[in-house]
Amino acid sequence: MAIEYTEDKRFTVDQVQALFRSVGWESANYPDRLFKALLHSDTVISAWDGEHLVGLVRVLDDTEMVAYMHWVLVDPAYHGHGVGGHLVEMVKTKYHDYLFLEVMPEESKNAPFYQRHGFHLMEDGRAMQIVNRG
């Protein structure tokens, strides 16, 4: 399997929605907002098997101090093939000069994946959010 990785935002609304649906994320219910969010994100690295979008990672950054890695996802049909790990390593390389590279796993079961890639749990940190489904 030859997966191609790119920072070109060449994906379509339908491709993005299909990927997010494949992992069961609520964001798939808002395809236009999701697509716009990706287009306006600082960095999006996507993984492709031919014309099939099989994974992506999104990063929001302040250009100097903090980069926040968000939305690391891989189509379940491609789990176990190193796609997610490769995306994370590409982000680590790109942001190696930043003081902080942070990630907030949406589910605690995903923490070991990030720990295998050098992330550690923050002392006394807690994730918080407000959801506006509006």
Side-chain angles (χ1 to χ4, degrees), residues 7-22:
E7 284 192 48
D8 294 337
K9 296 174 182 175
R10 67 182 198 208
F11 39 75
T12 67
V13 173
D14 291 339
Q15 288 170 319
V16 168
Q17 184 180 34
L19 177 60
F20 277 72
R21 274 194 178 145
S22 77

Side-chain angles (χ1 to χ4, degrees), residues 3 5-6 13 17 25 33 38 40 69-70 81 116:
I3 301 297
Y5 299 87
T6 183
V13 173
Q17 184 180 34
W25 286 11
R33 294 180 77 180
L38 288 169
H40 293 282
M69 187 168 51
H70 192 233
H81 296 284
R116 284 193 303 274

Side-chain angles (χ1 to χ4, degrees), residues 2 25 29 33-34 46 49 80 83 92-93 98-99 104 116 119-121 132-133:
W25 286 11
N29 297 326
R33 294 180 77 180
L34 177 59
S46 54
D49 184 0
V83 175
K92 286 172 52 181
T93 298
Y98 278 61
L99 188 59
M104 183 187 76
R116 284 193 303 274
F119 291 85
H120 61 275
L121 297 173
N132 293 310
R133 290 186 176 90

Side-chain angles (χ1 to χ4, degrees), residues 3-4 11 28 41 54 57 71 76 79 81 109 114 127 134:
I3 301 297
E4 175 194 355
F11 39 75
S41 296
V54 300
V57 59
W71 289 351
H79 285 185
H81 296 284
K109 70 178 183 178
Y114 294 103

Side-chain angles (χ1 to χ4, degrees), residues 58-133:
R58 170 174 92 146
V59 181
L60 307 173
D61 71 69
D62 64 10
T63 73
E64 187 63 32
M65 297 278 294
V66 179
Y68 175 65
M69 187 168 51
H70 192 233
W71 289 351
V72 180
L73 65 157
V74 175
D75 181 322
Y78 290 80
H79 285 185
H81 296 284
V83 175
H86 192 75
L87 289 167
V88 169
E89 291 302 318
M90 289 178 74
V91 169
K92 286 172 52 181
T93 298
K94 180 172 182 169
Y95 289 95
H96 74 277
D97 287 334
Y98 278 61
L99 188 59
F100 300 104
L101 176 57
E102 298 183 356
V103 63
M104 183 187 76
E106 298 286 329
E107 299 173 334
S108 59
K109 70 178 183 178
N110 294 331
F113 168 80
Y114 294 103
Q115 289 172 315
R116 284 193 303 274
H117 291 279
F119 291 85
H120 61 275
L121 297 173
M122 298 167 95
E123 295 281 329
D124 199 32
R126 296 289 181 263
M128 301 173 78
Q129 71 178 173
I130 295 173
V131 178
N132 293 310
R133 290 186 176 90

